[in-house]
Amino acid sequence: MSVLTRLGLATVLISTSLVASAENITPNLKFNGFATASGAVVDDAQGGEYLKDFFGYKGLTEDPSFGLESLIGLQFDYQVNNKTNVVAQVVAEGRNNYQARAEWAYIAYEINDNLSFRGGRFALPTYMYSDSIHIGQSYPWARLPAEVYAGVPITNFDGVDLLYRQPLGDWSLNTQLLMGGSNTELFRTQNSLGLNVSLSNDSLTLRAGVIKTQLTYIIGCDIGLGFCPLDVKEADTLFSNIGALYDDGQWFLAGEFAQLMIDGWVSDWNAGYLSAGHYVGKWLPYVLASKVNAFNGDDCTAPALFGTCDMARDYNEQTTYAIGARYALAKNVSLKSQLDHVTGFNNTNGYISNPSHLPDAFNVLTFSLTAAF
Amino acid sequence: MTIRQFFIASALCISTFAAQAELVVVTHPGNTINTLPLSQLNRIFLGQSSSYANGSRAIALDVNDNSRTQFYREILGKEPGQIEKYWMRMIFTGKAHPPREVKLSEVKSVVAETPGAIAYLEKSQVDASVKVLKIEARQ
């Protein structure tokens, strides 16, 4: 199916959704949708591609892209009875030729007002915005800071979780405990155990979380390296994250810090971002700085073929300084523009794939339209 | 009563805004509770709680007219923009959905026939088919 036909279908879907979501199909089935139309261009992609997906989908180059970071999604919520509902979220991304895939599909059971239990596939709660990772409307930037958010290449997992919420006056304490794993074409995680806690009121959210898992690479030998990177089998992995978000309709302040540590020769990293913005009428101009720093833990036992730990790691460092603005076109529709200055590679490739030389600083210009309905 | 006492007493009352009609919170007549803390009213309308103190089910209803903005702004202390942003986050994190919306002409009949229903009405509209709940503000 051609891209245009897919886009045409997407448009029909959006228009019918706009009508349908005004009245639910039945009182028990609600559906909502979201979409992002994004165009971006890099002034000098260093002979390669920028932000190429971990799974090999195309990245950004000097040729303006109008579909790569675009997507459309639908979310269904079916209330089976007072205590049970079934939620599914289907996403079709431009980088993947708009092939629809199930991002979430789970059953939620409300044990009581404070406690609920879920089973199925749901968002991997790595970061503060993980729950709404595809919903451009939920954050002001043209894309979630890559230095932090691209560090973990999966966004969902299969398993069970327990959600506990405790009101504390004006505040709400939310805790999530999860167990499960993920399976992708390139790697698998198993025996994952995660815990996150967030404390929030009307304007401020404070969050901290950890996820412990075992990582196995299932990449074959034919990846052009000349040897097999077999040495990642059930490697103990620990991901940790803290974040804070303040938004009172006047000021927007956000920051997160994350760290991923994997036993063995796969490099570890830590990353963070800070952003500040100020609402001026329908505008929200903002600044954003983000950085990722890779390092190798002391437990580096590089396979003999690699020689040294430095050569063994697939490691990237980069820093982005961005300035942008979001304009509220309508209720739940925004127009965003952002200019990124990407630098600080420290003799690594950063997030440029297959560059012809070690990257020098470059810039990215992005425009996007986001909607939720 | 001193001026200060007068203002404190007024602050403890939920109503008295001269320009608009006074809104009251109403529920199904069979609901055994008579009062509701403001914080619980907030939680029910924000989808963070679905029961009353006695454990029975609470079903929030939003009215499809101007009284909705008045209710959120004056009784819950929240601006429309805040509420829109809040629900967008809640829906798309699979956590909750906004209250069911009813037309102004239907509010009373829906509340009267739905055990646990809770909504808001102009005081002058109230009759025996619905029960008025007293909202307890924070001290």
Side-chain angles (χ1 to χ4, degrees), chain A residues 303-317:
Chain A
L305 281 168
F306 284 108
T308 68
C309 285
D310 271 4
M311 280 173 62
R313 55 187 168 170
D314 147 38
Y315 107 111
N316 37 40
E317 278 190 35

Side-chain angles (χ1 to χ4, degrees), chain B residues 4-130:
Chain B
R4 188 178 138 88
Q5 282 174 319
F6 173 75
F7 278 119
I8 291 172
S10 307
L12 291 177
C13 296
I14 296 303
S15 52
T16 71
F17 293 92
Q20 287 162 299
E22 182 184 334
L23 283 183
V24 289
V25 176
V26 294
T27 187
H28 184 263
N31 201 338
T32 55
I33 61 162
N34 297 310
T35 66
L36 193 65
L38 178 61
S39 54
Q40 181 62 5
L41 181 69
N42 240 306
R43 280 195 288 275
I44 290 171
F45 273 87
L46 294 180
Q48 291 165 12
S49 172
S50 50
S51 48
Y52 297 107
N54 59 17
S56 62
R57 190 137 202 101
I59 301 170
L61 300 169
D62 261 336
V63 182
N64 189 5
D65 95 331
N66 290 335
S67 58
R68 181 208 213 131
T69 307
Q70 189 187 345
F71 170 72
Y72 280 96
R73 187 176 271 150
E74 292 173 4
I75 298 185
L76 299 187
K78 304 216 180 324
E79 289 298 313
Q82 248 181 310
I83 293 290
E84 276 159 21
K85 253 193 264 187
Y86 171 81
W87 280 119
M88 212 216 33
R89 268 182 51 212
M90 291 307 274
I91 293 170
F92 291 109
T93 56
K95 295 210 165 89
H97 275 271
R100 176 178 152 202
E101 230 181 57
V102 289
K103 293 202 266 269
L104 182 61
S105 52
E106 294 174 343
V107 181
K108 258 193 294 192
S109 56
V110 176
V111 171
E113 60 197 30
T114 312
I118 182 168
Y120 37 91
L121 261 189
E122 274 179 34
K123 191 168 183 184
S124 55
Q125 298 273 312
V126 172
D127 61 25
S129 66
V130 298

Side-chain angles (χ1 to χ4, degrees), chain A residues 66-118:
Chain A
F66 290 110
L68 260 176
E69 293 173 301
S70 302
L71 58 84
I72 179 163
L74 284 178
Q75 188 169 313
F76 303 89
D77 188 323
Y78 179 68
Q79 191 87 31
V80 178
N81 59 42
N82 267 347
K83 294 197 165 288
T84 315
N85 58 335
V86 177
V87 178
Q89 189 185 91
V90 176
V91 181
E93 292 173 284
R95 70 171 77 236
N96 184 17
N97 248 338
Y98 296 100
Q99 269 171 14
R101 58 180 180 82
E103 180 74 26
W104 303 347
Y106 63 81
I107 300 178
Y109 178 76
E110 192 185 292
I111 298 168
N112 61 43
D113 223 24
N114 300 74
L115 196 58
S116 58
F117 170 85
R118 301 189 298 178

Side-chain angles (χ1 to χ4, degrees), chain A residues 233-247:
Chain A
K233 194 161 184 236
E234 291 169 24
D236 282 336
T237 300
L238 182 69
F239 174 86
S240 42
N241 167 272
I242 56 170
L245 168 64
Y246 180 80
D247 186 341

Side-chain angles (χ1 to χ4, degrees), chain A residues 343-372:
Chain A
T343 180
F345 303 103
N346 194 19
N347 291 324
T348 72
N349 289 337
Y351 283 131
I352 294 273
S353 305
N354 305 316
S356 52
H357 54 268
L358 279 179
D360 302 312
F362 59 89
N363 303 293
V364 187
L365 180 62
T366 313
F367 287 100
S368 77
L369 181 66
T370 63

